[in-house]
Amino acid sequence: MVVLSALAGCRSGATSKPEDNAADPPSATAGTCAGVRSPECRSVTLASGRQVRYAILRPTAAGPQTTGAVVADLGGPGISLFGMHWPGDALRQQLPKQLQASPLLLIEEPWVTAAYPPECKAAVSSLFHSVHVLATTGETVSTSCKLYDHDQPWGWTPETFAEAVKVILATEGLRLDGYLGLSFGGRRLTYLRDLAPKWAILVNPAPLDLSAPEYLSGRVSALWRSVESNCPQCPGRQAGTRLIEQASKALSAAQPAVPGRSVPLAGGDVAAATLALSYRDTAVMRAFFTALSTPAKEANRKLVGRLADGVWSRYGTDQISPAVLAYWAEVCPSYPGWSATPPADPLGTFLTEWHGPCTALTPAARQRWTPGLNSKVATCVSMLADDPVVPVQSVRTWRNAGAQVIQPAKGEHSDLAGAQGCADRLKL
């Protein structure tokens, strides 16, 4: 679960060292497996010439071999399959018993092997410095990084994801049987509308068919609920709001230095760190709220900075990994109607400004994301009622699309335990 928590969801939110984020600059061995530690790594070439890394996890137990594969998408956007944490063993341990004999296909996101042009890198760094102090953002990232071009290299498009799955299955002599999606990986099921697996299990999936304002307000509400539940100093929503607002204002005014971190703390770091807590365990959450109460302590400033840097995938001094470009490239087109006007609270302000590149989305780019769930796919969704990451409206959107929904009483966003209930419900 710890490994999956570091990999899944929208952003991880944790780094080992403030200036040494797990998301490093892309490898010079673009598209190949040279230098990749995981022996499971393989590579295929798409029609465009783009090379795609992937892995096939074969069943370990002796028994009949099947050619019916399951695409397993652990979410993101902005995670590296072959990065710091290889998910293979942890994933196998959490699989429903019905899937233990199936080969699993995991695919690396495009940004990991994409070239990172200097003008794009500079635009993303500039955006970080603006949002870091909760300032209004511009649209330079979308143009400098060609974020919504048809052949953008950062995230999947429905066409490129479907092509990658098709080419890999043909290369491996497999057929598509099912789909297992976690967090935003559930949303990518719609990319396979024409390939149509027989069944799909989605765990805490990102919502379908929401407008951008609904999506953002749902995420802000989920964050505030998490604050209310996990802040020892906050007996209710109002107290949690007050603590985060006061810390945000104080750090924006003072901008204290953090040992080992080249960028001082500011108000945007408080909100970014709060977002990172969505993916962390209770102990880290409680330590964070203690840190906000006593920011003068060096260790507390380090914790806030480390959590905030994880959301941005920041490395070096002010360098931002293209992992965040993958996030914008897929999340922005998924929800129409982005607004540049932020709400008054610091969490809403940060989320709006952080999604600033979304406001440049063109109708043509958005059009490629409109196909919904294929009604022929038997789909079950396992959704936590109080997930701090996914808007509560997600349940409604999947039910409206025809999916069966079960709601476990407890769990974590990145916990695949709910998949077993869905496997039983679908009678796999």
Side-chain angles (χ1 to χ4, degrees):
M1 186 184 306
V2 172
V3 174
L4 290 178
S5 295
L7 282 167
C10 293
R11 299 292 321 127
S12 165
T15 59
S16 56
K17 292 183 289 183
E19 299 291 346
D20 185 17
N21 193 275
D24 293 322
S27 168
T29 60
T32 72
C33 290
V36 176
R37 292 188 298 270
S38 301
E40 294 86 353
C41 179
R42 305 186 186 192
S43 178
V44 293
T45 303
L46 304 186
S48 64
R50 176 183 296 182
Q51 292 180 295
V52 175
R53 292 173 175 172
Y54 68 97
I56 300 287
L57 298 186
R58 303 282 181 178
T60 54
Q65 297 296 310
T66 176
T67 59
V70 176
V71 172
D73 193 306
L74 301 182
I79 64 171
S80 176
L81 180 62
F82 300 111
M84 181 178 292
H85 302 290
W86 166 245
D89 295 336
L91 179 59
R92 275 289 179 195
Q93 292 170 8
Q94 292 199 56
L95 284 178
K97 60 181 182 292
Q98 294 93 327
L99 305 187
Q100 293 294 337
S102 300
L104 298 182
L105 167 58
L106 295 91
I107 309 177
E108 181 82 281
E109 293 188 2
W111 67 269
V112 179
T113 54
Y116 199 3
E119 65 274 14
C120 173
K121 185 182 295 186
V124 179
S125 294
S126 177
L127 178 70
F128 162 73
H129 282 290
S130 294
V131 180
H132 165 68
V133 294
L134 296 179
T136 303
T137 62
E139 298 180 355
T140 57
V141 167
S142 60
T143 53
S144 299
C145 302
K146 301 180 179 179
L147 200 56
Y148 306 120
D149 285 12
H150 194 274
D151 59 347
Q152 57 84 14
W154 316 113
W156 293 114
T157 65
E159 297 90 348
T160 55
F161 188 70
E163 183 189 1
V165 170
K166 188 180 297 185
V167 170
I168 293 169
L169 292 177
T171 301
E172 297 288 339
L174 299 171
R175 57 181 170 78
L176 181 59
D177 193 8
Y179 186 90
L180 175 65
L182 173 63
S183 196
F184 197 83
R187 191 74 171 70
R188 288 186 182 132
L189 173 61
T190 63
Y191 299 2
L192 302 181
R193 180 180 175 85
D194 294 335
L195 292 180
K198 296 177 184 176
W199 54 264
I201 294 173
L202 311 180
V203 180
N204 300 323
L208 291 174
D209 303 324
L210 284 185
S211 68
E214 287 179 299
Y215 174 76
L216 280 182
S217 65
R219 292 210 67 185
V220 171
S221 296
L223 285 175
W224 282 121
R225 287 197 307 273
S226 179
V227 167
E228 192 173 325
S229 302
N230 296 288
C231 176
Q233 301 93 330
C234 307
R237 165 75 181 266
Q238 189 174 10
T241 302
R242 190 160 51 245
L243 175 62
I244 289 177
E245 286 182 339
Q246 288 174 348
S248 180
K249 289 179 181 178
L251 291 177
S252 291
Q255 296 199 14
V258 178
R261 186 181 194 245
S262 58
V263 180
L265 284 184
D269 290 320
V270 176
T274 306
L275 175 61
L277 293 180
S278 306
Y279 305 91
R280 309 299 295 155
D281 58 31
T282 302
V284 176
M285 291 181 179
R286 292 181 178 274
F288 168 72
F289 291 114
T290 300
L292 290 189
S293 301
T294 54
K297 291 185 177 180
E298 180 178 301
N300 290 345
R301 298 199 304 276
K302 283 185 175 181
L303 175 61
V304 175
R306 186 166 65 247
L307 289 169
D309 287 342
V311 167
W312 281 100
S313 294
R314 190 177 73 87
Y315 65 92
T317 53
D318 62 351
Q319 300 300 301
I320 307 299
S321 167
V324 295
L325 292 167
Y327 176 85
W328 293 320
E330 289 195 65
V331 171
C332 296
S334 296
Y335 308 104
W338 295 92
S339 171
T341 304
D345 69 277
L347 300 187
T349 298
F350 171 78
L351 274 180
T352 301
E353 301 295 357
W354 191 50
H355 288 89
C358 297
T359 59
L361 180 68
T362 64
R366 161 64 188 165
Q367 186 64 30
R368 301 203 302 273
W369 265 259
T370 52
L373 184 64
N374 189 323
S375 60
K376 295 180 180 179
V377 182
T379 304
C380 178
V381 168
S382 173
M383 179 72 72
L384 292 172
D386 58 349
D387 193 321
V389 177
V390 178
V392 294
Q393 300 98 314
S394 187
V395 169
R396 168 176 55 82
T397 66
W398 286 100
R399 278 199 177 116
N400 290 345
Q404 302 181 60
V405 178
I406 62 174
Q407 292 191 275
K410 59 181 180 179
E412 303 289 340
H413 174 74
S414 301
D415 183 358
L416 281 173
Q420 183 62 63
C422 270
D424 296 338
R425 177 70 67 89
L426 294 175
K427 297 181 170 57
L428 297 184

